Amino acid sequence: MNAQSKQLKTVYTVVERGPNKSFWTKVGIGSVNHDGSINLRLDALPTNGTLQIRDYEPRETEPRRNEADVKLAPQLSADSLL
């Protein structure tokens, strides 16, 4: 992780859906300014009013696939649903 990525943050909202059932939804990104303040850019707003800000971690667990690697299921027509 380089110095620039240490300044990046990921913004989540955490929704509790029962005992031991927490769902983390990414709602934006943040960046740390030179004075330690944080700018947030949100794509969505949490319905519970709570944001969780974490250090950014790039996703490297699964390699990216291009369209040629993805096998598409056959498309259904309206006639096949009747």
Side-chain angles (χ1 to χ4, degrees):
M1 188 177 277
N2 61 29
Q4 182 181 7
S5 64
K6 289 183 181 179
Q7 299 299 315
L8 295 177
K9 305 292 181 184
T10 305
V11 182
Y12 299 95
T13 185
V14 182
V15 178
E16 302 295 333
R17 299 211 189 261
N20 300 321
K21 299 259 184 183
S22 299
F23 292 91
W24 289 58
T25 303
K26 181 180 174 184
V27 294
I29 61 169
S31 60
V32 179
N33 297 315
H34 294 290
D35 64 357
S37 63
I38 300 174
N39 289 338
L40 300 178
R41 299 202 189 274
L42 301 177
D43 297 319
L45 296 174
T47 57
N48 62 7
T50 303
L51 296 172
Q52 176 70 239
I53 301 173
R54 298 281 179 138
D55 288 336
Y56 172 79
E57 293 183 19
R59 289 187 158 191
E60 296 180 17
T61 57
E62 187 175 330
R64 289 184 166 258
R65 294 184 281 172
N66 62 33
E67 286 186 33
D69 294 337
V70 178
K71 297 197 186 301
L72 300 175
Q75 297 214 353
L76 297 175
S77 67
D79 293 332
S80 67
L81 297 175
L82 298 175

